[in-house]
Amino acid sequence: MSNRAYYSAEISHFLNDLPETIIGELTRNHSQDLVYQQTGAWNSQIEILKKQLQDFKHGHICFELLIPRMGRRADAVLILDGIIFVFEFKTGEKQYKANDLRQTQSYALDLSCFHKASHNCLIIPILIATESPETPLILDAGEHGVTSTLKANKNNIAKIIKTCVTTFPKQQLLNPEVWLAAQYKPTPTIIEAAQALYANHNVADIAHSGADKINLGETSYRLNEIIHQARIQQQKTICFVTGVPGAGKTLVGLQIATTHNNPKDEEYAVFLSGNGPLVDVLREALARDRIKQHETLTIGTARRETASFIQNIHHFRDEALKNKQQIEKVVIFDEAQRAWNQRKASDFMQRKRNQSDFNQSEPEFLISVMDRHDDWCVIIALIGGGQEINDGEAGLNGWFSALAEKFLDWNIYYSEKLSQKEYAGNDIQMDLLKNSQAKSEPCLHLTTSMRSFRAEKLSHLIHYIIHNQCTEAKTLSTQIIDNFPVFVTRDLVKAKKWIRSKVKGLETSGLIASSGAKRLKADGIFINSTIEVEDWFLNDCEDVRSCHFLEDTATEFDIQGLELDWCLVAWDADYRYCKGKFEHWKFSGTKWMRRKKEDQQRYLENSYRVLLTRARQGIVIYIPNGEQSDCTRNPEFYNQTYEYLIKCGLQSLPI
């Protein structure tokens, strides 16, 4: 990858280069406005490493090495005797902070997992808190070839490097040029992806693999082509984009929104979602990241900036009722199939907004808002499969009906997979578009899940489990279980202990459960307690409000569209396996009641589908033992579900 490192040289060349020459090269490659503190930090790092590397006559050093998954750069990387040393400097720091240690290890883990030439290498992360005291050196082999983060100050870096080389001899030597040019296949979380895009990275830089990069790149390129064409030819256009769960639909939408986030831009775009937690988390993550990059910026200003181009769709709707002038020329609707139908939209608007004459579905109203433009506009509707978890969602027919009845002059581009049941539901009416200017586009479908870099087939496994296809699930589970652990257990304490043992660096973990899992309360899992999603997802692991503590529980409504590295999924008796099939229940008052309506059953199935596809690296499913003396927690409500999951090929959590 070009510009992988801002400065790269043999150690002998680095030692001979003047500091101002090195800083000049770093400055030329730096994409953002430099501040005095940045060049000062570089100068300090260069001075320290020149002193510490004097005794090393071979090896290769890089400054500001790109870590695409995180949208950041490691301060320095040293390749020596087949070992990759990752340096993170904290200039002037007098202590080794826990978060800095995790950050340093995360850089090393990302190289190990996602950089092809680093897969089988020994990687040693070193946090250099320049003014901190020397601490005992404890070396371990670590997991995936990554050791625990070592602690260094400005005076003992060389000593630590020599000890590591002596302790781990005979590593396979690396060619630095080949290593730097090797393919990088990152799979960022949606939060990391949004941060990287906001920092002007391209979507192709943070794609999972060659095929995904091409797919994402083609989709993004084609959508931008359609936007340009609509502006130049003064057309009104809507695009329907589909994709398997975790394939990058939101990523594509965010790239367009972050690229055109200036209201003065002719193609100013806004990203809209009815998923309130997703909007809140993305806004807050971008705002927090923004003030880290710009120390003079206040959090309030940063939040206002991110709120302008990532909006809750319902707030956008309410504002459109008050203000008839639209400045956005491009809007991206995430999970557009979940927009409200006429019944739900009208009922809400009449009760909550005093709009007694409101009689439109949300799709019809949203198209009419954009249709106010006299010249041109573009709507990009992102369509997910198996994501409906609420009553009153219009589905695709809501959009199709509006276009067919009221907006026949609009151009329509749609994914060729749009008519499949997974996206369209059972009653899709494609013939509604027959009189419209509609055109199928193959590249508007994203084919591969990027959510789990260890198991791309996870979503298929969960599909089989949810739909009582035990044989298919067992066959698939044997293919992925080595790379992606999926365990079941009846012991909640053991489940939490295992999850905590797996988390490394800045990896995330959390306790999640269905919003209908009300009898988990007996086990101390309270799904009715409201969580602050921004704190739950974004706060560090010392914060008791964060997901890392495995105390506060997120439901499908909190976590849909987001993900964690490690998930503890608590499975209650609302979706229970009994006599060879799943049953759908709802706890009301003091007892369980059957869910008889087909749509309510589908919402419950989709809730568990969402919960079971949030993990990126592994899952533990906790199923209670129940209590014979409690009729709401009869052991038979749980035993058959546990046995079914074992038959599907999932393994019991080892002791």
Side-chain angles (χ1 to χ4, degrees):
M1 182 186 296
S2 63
N3 207 26
R4 173 68 59 79
Y6 287 167
Y7 173 88
S8 174
E10 294 298 312
I11 289 179
S12 57
H13 293 160
F14 164 69
L15 294 174
N16 288 325
D17 278 346
L18 295 172
E20 51 265 35
T21 301
I22 299 171
I23 289 177
E25 189 165 343
L26 290 167
T27 303
R28 280 194 301 274
N29 288 309
H30 201 279
S31 60
Q32 299 176 349
D33 293 336
L34 287 175
V35 294
Y36 176 76
Q37 289 93 330
Q38 177 63 72
T39 54
W42 283 336
N43 192 65
S44 176
Q45 294 167 20
I46 292 165
E47 181 183 347
I48 290 169
L49 288 178
K50 275 182 172 286
K51 290 179 181 178
Q52 292 294 308
L53 298 180
Q54 283 291 335
D55 294 339
F56 300 94
K57 304 306 179 186
H58 64 283
H60 195 95
I61 189 159
C62 307
F63 282 87
E64 298 290 333
L65 182 79
L66 179 65
I67 308 291
R69 185 179 89 98
M70 307 178 75
R72 290 177 171 81
R73 290 179 179 268
D75 287 335
V77 172
L78 172 67
I79 300 174
L80 180 69
D81 291 342
I83 301 174
I84 302 167
F85 295 91
V86 179
F87 299 141
E88 177 69 11
F89 279 87
K90 296 300 175 184
T91 306
E93 184 58 64
K94 296 180 180 180
Q95 57 183 317
Y96 303 103
K97 294 181 179 178
N99 200 56
D100 294 335
L101 290 165
R102 290 193 294 271
Q103 177 76 67
T104 309
Q105 190 175 50
S106 285
Y107 286 150
L109 287 167
D110 274 13
L111 284 175
S112 176
C113 292
F114 307 121
H115 184 230
K116 187 175 182 180
S118 301
H119 285 341
N120 300 311
C121 298
L122 176 63
I123 305 176
I124 301 177
I126 303 178
L127 173 63
I128 305 169
T130 59
E131 309 306 317
S132 295
E134 185 169 341
T135 63
L137 183 63
I138 301 174
L139 281 172
D140 62 73
E143 289 189 54
H144 310 300
V146 178
T147 69
S148 297
T149 304
L150 305 185
K151 301 172 183 177
N153 58 35
K154 64 183 180 182
N155 298 315
N156 67 345
I157 301 169
K159 176 183 174 182
I160 290 174
I161 292 173
K162 290 176 182 177
T163 302
C164 292
V165 171
T166 303
T167 305
F168 301 108
K170 298 181 180 179
Q171 300 294 318
Q172 184 175 351
L173 297 182
L174 296 169
N175 182 318
E177 291 184 2
V178 173
W179 185 84
L180 276 168
Q183 191 175 25
Y184 204 110
K185 300 180 178 181
T187 59
T189 68
I190 191 61
I191 294 170
E192 291 169 338
Q195 291 170 328
L197 292 170
Y198 198 34
N200 297 318
H201 288 274
N202 189 277
V203 68
D205 292 337
I206 51 179
H208 169 64
S209 66
D212 299 336
K213 184 181 295 188
I214 293 170
N215 195 193
L216 281 169
E218 284 182 347
T219 303
S220 298
Y221 181 79
R222 180 62 183 132
L223 288 171
N224 276 305
E225 266 192 336
I226 291 170
I227 292 169
H228 297 330
Q229 177 183 311
R231 176 172 60 82
I232 292 168
Q233 298 183 5
Q234 302 288 284
Q235 297 171 332
K236 295 177 180 179
T237 299
I238 187 167
C239 303
F240 293 98
V241 180
T242 59
V244 300
K249 299 181 298 297
T250 302
L251 184 59
V252 168
L254 283 171
Q255 185 188 32
I256 294 170
T258 53
T259 302
H260 302 285
N261 63 18
N262 188 337
K264 296 180 180 179
D265 189 332
E266 278 190 289
E267 297 176 2
Y268 174 50
V270 62
F271 180 89
L272 303 176
S273 175
N275 184 340
L278 175 67
V279 170
D280 293 342
V281 170
L282 288 180
R283 281 179 173 177
E284 183 67 13
L286 294 183
R288 293 185 187 186
D289 199 52
R290 187 106 163 96
I291 61 173
K292 286 181 183 176
Q293 310 304 321
H294 302 272
E295 294 179 358
T296 58
L297 199 65
T298 66
I299 187 64
T301 300
R303 284 169 176 161
R304 284 191 293 273
E305 287 180 3
T306 59
S308 67
F309 67 93
I310 298 179
Q311 298 182 25
N312 188 299
I313 196 169
H314 305 308
H315 296 165
F316 177 85
R317 175 203 61 207
D318 293 348
E319 184 62 30
L321 284 168
K322 296 184 291 184
N323 186 358
K324 302 301 181 183
Q325 295 294 320
Q326 298 303 123
I327 61 171
E328 303 89 355
K329 288 296 188 122
V330 181
V331 292
I332 304 105
F333 293 129
D334 196 29
E335 299 294 349
Q337 81 283 357
R338 298 187 59 202
W340 291 349
N341 58 29
Q342 182 177 337
R343 174 187 57 78
K344 184 167 183 176
S346 298
D347 179 65
F348 177 85
M349 297 301 287
Q350 290 168 18
R351 287 187 299 104
K352 301 291 187 179
R353 298 292 186 266
N354 295 319
Q355 298 285 329
S356 58
D357 58 346
F358 193 95
N359 61 354
Q360 295 175 291
S361 69
E362 212 164 32
E364 180 183 342
F365 177 72
L366 294 170
I367 298 173
S368 72
V369 169
M370 295 303 291
D371 196 54
R372 293 172 185 171
H373 289 291
D374 293 328
D375 45 10
W376 71 278
C377 64
V378 175
I379 294 173
I380 297 171
L382 307 176
I383 309 295
Q387 301 292 302
E388 299 82 2
I389 55 177
N390 264 325
D391 178 40
E393 295 177 355
L396 283 174
N397 282 342
W399 294 92
F400 289 179
S401 297
L403 289 165
E405 295 170 11
K406 303 286 181 65
F407 306 102
L408 282 168
D409 58 329
W410 278 56
N411 291 321
I412 302 169
Y413 296 90
Y414 62 92
S415 158
E416 61 180 357
K417 304 292 186 182
L418 198 64
S419 61
Q420 291 186 355
K421 180 180 178 181
E422 182 179 1
Y423 304 101
N426 294 317
D427 57 350
I428 183 63
Q429 299 176 40
M430 292 296 293
D431 61 348
L432 287 171
L433 301 181
K434 65 182 180 182
N435 295 323
S436 304
Q437 301 174 61
K439 180 182 178 182
S440 172
E441 292 267 351
C443 67
L444 296 186
H445 177 69
L446 298 168
T447 58
T448 306
S449 175
M450 301 196 321
R451 178 165 292 127
S452 170
F453 64 88
R454 296 196 187 281
E456 293 179 347
K457 296 180 180 179
L458 176 65
S459 62
H460 299 297
L461 171 63
I462 300 308
H463 174 84
Y464 292 140
I465 290 174
I466 293 294
H467 290 282
N468 196 19
Q469 295 175 269
C470 183
T471 303
E472 292 85 346
K474 186 172 184 178
T475 299
L476 194 54
S477 66
T478 59
Q479 299 174 21
I480 73 171
I481 206 73
D482 290 337
N483 291 319
F484 191 101
V486 184
F487 289 113
V488 288
T489 184
R490 317 300 294 273
D491 189 329
L492 184 58
V493 173
K494 187 165 69 173
K496 289 185 178 183
K497 183 178 180 180
W498 185 86
I499 290 281
R500 290 183 177 122
S501 74
K502 290 296 179 181
V503 176
K504 301 292 186 294
L506 295 178
E507 292 173 353
T508 56
S509 63
L511 172 62
I512 58 180
S514 158
S515 58
K518 295 188 177 182
R519 291 309 296 139
L520 292 176
K521 181 178 180 181
D523 291 323
I525 299 174
F526 303 100
I527 55 92
N528 286 336
S529 298
T530 302
I531 65 170
E532 295 294 332
V533 288
E534 303 97 313
D535 294 331
W536 196 83
F537 277 103
L538 302 177
N539 290 9
D540 63 42
C541 62
E542 282 83 22
D543 193 319
V544 297
R545 299 167 297 175
S546 73
C547 60
H548 309 282
F549 261 72
L550 302 178
E551 290 184 0
D552 291 335
T553 309
T555 71
E556 70 273 19
F557 298 112
D558 299 312
I559 203 169
Q560 187 177 37
L562 295 158
E563 60 262 301
L564 300 167
D565 288 294
W566 304 91
C567 285
L568 200 173
V569 182
W571 193 313
D572 201 8
D574 53 339
Y575 194 54
R576 69 183 75 156
Y577 199 76
C578 183
K579 297 179 180 179
K581 63 180 181 180
F582 275 109
E583 295 180 349
H584 308 72
W585 294 82
K586 179 179 181 180
F587 193 78
S588 180
T590 60
K591 60 183 180 181
W592 290 104
M593 301 180 68
R594 285 271 198 171
R595 294 178 185 242
K596 296 181 179 180
K597 293 184 178 180
E598 184 178 338
D599 57 348
Q600 292 297 320
Q601 294 177 358
R602 186 172 71 253
Y603 298 145
L604 181 61
E605 292 168 6
N606 286 339
S607 294
Y608 274 85
R609 187 196 312 276
V610 167
L611 295 170
L612 293 166
T613 55
R614 296 306 96 189
R616 294 162 49 81
Q617 298 200 52
I619 305 170
V620 175
I621 299 171
Y622 164 65
I623 298 178
N625 286 303
E627 178 60 54
Q628 197 69 52
S629 61
D630 183 350
C631 65
T632 68
R633 299 174 59 244
N634 189 315
E636 284 306 306
F637 295 171
Y638 303 99
N639 292 342
Q640 290 185 55
T641 303
Y642 176 81
E643 292 163 3
Y644 166 73
L645 293 177
I646 295 295
K647 288 180 181 178
C648 285
L650 308 191
Q651 298 178 6
S652 179
L653 185 66
I655 297 175

